Amino acid sequence: MTLDGAPGLEVDPLLDDPATRIVVCCGAGGVGKTTTAAALGVRAAERGRKVVVLTIDPARRLAQSMGIDQLDNTPRRVDGIEGGGELHAMMLDMKRTFDEIVEAHADPSRASAILGNPFYQSLSAGFAGTQEYMAMEKLGQLRARDEWDLIVVDTPPSRSALDFLDAPKRLGSFLDGKFIKLLMAPAKVGGRAGMKFLNVGMSMMTGTLGKLLGGQLLRDVQTFVAAMDTMFGGFRTRADATYRLLQAPGTAFLVVAAPERDALREAAYFVERLAAERMPLAGLVLNRVHGSGADRLSAERALAAAENLEEGRIVDQGAGKTGVRGPEALSPEPEAPETTPARSGTAAAPDAATAPGGAVATAPSPAVADLTAGLLRLHAERMQVLAREQRTRDRFAALHPEVAVTEVAALPGDVHDLAGLRAIGDRLATGGAA
């Protein structure tokens, strides 16, 4: 099942294609990106590929669903995968990834100075955009190792689903910004000239900044900048390389959304942004779609039937009272059955009355009537949800008829094991069909 008029997203050919090396699952928070990424990883591995799933979600249930006690910054193999492939999983450790960059691109003494710097510790643990940047940095590292056939990335749960696209540029701009360059100037000048510049040219600025930031913090920043001087260019270079990697033909973006107005609005914005950035969009995964096996019974008819039951207005229960509604329409106490059997060989039920046309209508007991009315109202609510979701999906399809779509039916509970991830994978591949 897919959006009316939208092309179907074929997940298996995408995962099977050896040219597909990176799949990025993105979208608003809380729409199931992490579960989708894990299910894609399981399905690709069981179809013969060597896969690593990079997740940003710290929830332990994902690790448990893969049979792993704990995920960390190192890929760990997942047991229980059927078929000829392999599945590895890892969870981004933002600070550890930043530390690895420092250790890889600075000599031991300088790396030690940077890692011990208080400003660096704050920057690596909580600077705006650092998590998104490190996710892309880790992606670049995994791709450079060329150890896996396919990398599936679960993007960070950000306030904006576009943060991870902007993060490499944003962090690079920060490190190349005027403020950082100004702080770097004394170290670059060097010698007496540098000291003179620091003492004369920056005395006023440092005094002002010292009041605003605190003298110790300013000294920590200057020490950090001096130690990081040789690494700034590397951040920019890697940010640009990662951005080009995201634009490469071997990368496929999957936008994950729920069939809700806000989620699909952000998905539409994301689709437009990916097109503007010339990044390859594979399609939309519409997650947690509701359905009903009794959709021929409309919400209006279900509510009307529930009201009739609740008010005791069962229509045409008594012979000869066609059109009468209310308590008087209920059939009287039945007479004793005749000893002569009916032509059909069966006697009418004691609590039944013959309605016009020969149909037999039975007055339900109050308990049965209440239960039936409640079920009818639940069905009406479900049908209203289905109608609302369909209207929302139709609006998205009208705006973006070119976007391929697959739908995943809502499950009654959370996914907690590989079998659950396989079930999600099956729905991804079949467009929601069980």
Side-chain angles (χ1 to χ4, degrees), residues 188-370:
K188 286 188 173 182
V189 173
R192 290 183 178 180
M195 292 301 296
K196 183 178 180 180
F197 180 86
L198 178 62
N199 292 332
V200 178
M202 295 189 68
S203 59
M204 183 176 297
M205 185 202 75
T206 54
T208 303
L209 288 176
K211 292 179 181 178
L212 293 174
L213 303 178
Q216 184 59 48
L217 175 59
L218 181 59
R219 287 190 292 274
D220 290 340
V221 172
Q222 290 175 328
T223 303
F224 163 77
V225 169
M228 290 282 286
D229 183 15
T230 58
M231 296 181 58
F232 285 148
F235 279 100
R236 170 63 72 183
T237 300
R238 287 192 301 279
D240 292 341
T242 301
Y243 204 76
R244 289 193 299 271
L245 182 64
L246 293 175
Q247 293 175 315
T251 299
F253 282 83
L254 288 176
V255 178
V256 184
E260 300 168 359
R261 183 179 61 181
D262 291 343
L264 276 175
R265 183 188 294 120
E266 191 156 3
Y269 181 40
F270 208 110
V271 166
E272 294 164 3
R273 172 68 187 277
L274 289 173
E277 299 289 340
R278 299 181 181 178
M279 293 188 176
L281 173 65
L284 171 73
V285 174
L286 200 56
N287 204 13
R288 301 170 186 163
V289 176
H290 294 90
S292 173
D295 53 5
R296 288 180 295 176
L297 177 60
S298 67
E300 292 77 11
R301 290 179 60 194
L303 286 174
E307 289 174 1
N308 282 338
L309 282 170
E310 290 170 341
E311 297 179 12
R313 297 184 302 173
I314 305 300
V315 181
D316 297 340
Q317 285 194 3
K321 295 182 181 286
T322 303
V324 178
R325 298 172 181 262
E328 67 273 18
L330 297 176
S331 57
E333 290 296 324
E335 299 178 0
E338 299 180 2
T339 54
T340 304
R343 290 183 182 180
S344 61
T346 59
D351 292 331
T354 303
V360 176
T362 303
S365 67
V368 173
D370 289 344

Side-chain angles (χ1 to χ4, degrees), residues 329-397:
L330 297 176
S331 57
E333 290 296 324
E335 299 178 0
E338 299 180 2
T339 54
T340 304
R343 290 183 182 180
S344 61
T346 59
D351 292 331
T354 303
V360 176
T362 303
S365 67
V368 173
D370 289 344
L371 177 60
T372 305
L375 291 174
L376 286 167
R377 289 191 178 278
L378 285 175
H379 175 77
E381 291 177 5
R382 170 57 66 91
M383 295 306 298
Q384 290 168 349
V385 169
L386 266 61
R388 184 171 63 250
E389 289 182 356
Q390 187 61 54
R391 289 193 300 270
T392 305
R393 288 142 61 193
D394 288 345
R395 283 196 293 268
F396 179 90

Side-chain angles (χ1 to χ4, degrees), residues 128-137 156-158 163-164 167-168 170:
T130 303
Q131 184 184 48
E132 289 81 3
Y133 177 85
M134 291 306 153
M136 296 301 99
E137 179 78 32
S158 307
D163 282 353
F164 84 97
R170 188 164 60 247

Side-chain angles (χ1 to χ4, degrees), residues 23 40 84 135 160 166 304 329 365:
V23 172
L40 289 170
S160 169
D166 295 325
S365 67

